[in-house]
Amino acid sequence: TRQALKARRKSTKNTRTKPDKRPRGLTQSERFRLLTEDLEVIRDVFGGKIPEGLRNTWLHLFATSLANQLNVPDIESQILAAAKRATPGLKDSEVTAIAKQAVEKSTIPRSNCPSKDGRYQYRGATIADMLGISADVAKNWQLHQIMPIRERKRRKAERERARRARN
């Protein structure tokens, strides 16, 4: 009966072992690696060059994503190369300031709370808003991290439906 089922659940609830305390999902470094890939997809879709009005933002986000990854060799040269290829026309002083800041942020010791270790942290929805990426665009371009909240919710619901169907 229903009451017996409830009673059994209640009695076993306290005897279960505690769930594994490891964090679920992506590590910060993995998330920012995917973010870097998304930024490269956006650059490719724009024909290899970021349009005026988005160049500084795109380069800042690219530099931030590198600064949040582990073991990235020579961040400064990677940012300078990305600027040359994706944001031509951006002032050299702006590019060097972005690169210098990313190098400084990358040397900050990491903590268990990424939002408090001094590095810039942006949600995918915030980045989508900064770059003008709509839910349809995120879906069509198959972006992994950069997407509005509506698209993230849609993908989560889709995964949940698939999980229920499997079970």
Side-chain angles (χ1 to χ4, degrees):
T1 68
R2 192 173 196 169
Q3 288 177 339
L5 182 62
K6 276 185 176 181
R8 190 171 71 225
R9 281 185 187 156
K10 192 173 184 178
S11 69
T12 60
K13 187 176 183 180
N14 294 334
T15 61
R16 291 183 194 155
T17 60
K18 289 190 175 185
D20 196 359
K21 291 292 183 186
R22 287 180 291 174
R24 294 181 1 202
L26 300 171
T27 65
Q28 283 296 317
S29 189
E30 290 167 337
R31 184 175 99 71
F32 281 99
R33 184 188 53 76
L34 288 173
L35 185 89
T36 305
E37 290 176 12
D38 283 355
L39 289 167
E40 289 291 354
V41 167
I42 291 168
R43 180 184 60 81
D44 289 343
V45 170
F46 282 129
K49 310 274 187 237
I50 302 300
E52 197 170 325
L54 295 177
R55 295 179 304 184
N56 198 310
T57 301
W58 183 90
L59 190 61
H60 167 73
L61 294 168
F62 184 84
T64 298
S65 68
L66 290 179
N68 278 284
Q69 294 176 51
L70 294 172
N71 305 320
V72 176
D74 199 10
I75 289 176
E76 186 173 13
S77 67
Q78 287 191 47
I79 294 167
L80 295 176
K84 191 174 194 177
R85 138 181 111 244
T87 61
L90 204 56
K91 291 180 183 176
D92 289 342
S93 60
E94 292 180 61
V95 173
T96 54
I98 290 171
K100 182 181 175 186
Q101 186 178 51
V103 169
E104 287 174 9
K105 298 287 184 187
S106 71
T107 61
I108 296 172
R110 295 181 186 276
S111 70
N112 290 340
C113 186
S115 62
K116 293 182 181 176
D117 69 7
R119 288 178 182 78
Y120 291 116
Q121 303 279 324
Y122 297 104
R123 292 178 29 212
T126 303
I127 295 170
D129 188 47
M130 292 167 79
L131 295 174
I133 304 295
S134 69
D136 290 337
V137 168
K139 182 180 177 183
N140 292 338
W141 294 354
Q142 299 176 349
L143 301 177
H144 299 289
Q145 292 294 311
I146 300 174
M147 68 188 84
I149 292 171
R150 190 179 103 216
E151 175 63 10
R152 186 164 304 281
K153 286 181 179 181
R154 185 198 66 77
R155 290 182 188 189
K156 185 177 181 180
E158 192 175 271
R159 284 191 308 270
E160 185 62 20
R161 277 193 298 278
R163 184 191 66 78
R164 287 180 183 160
R166 281 192 310 273
N167 291 343

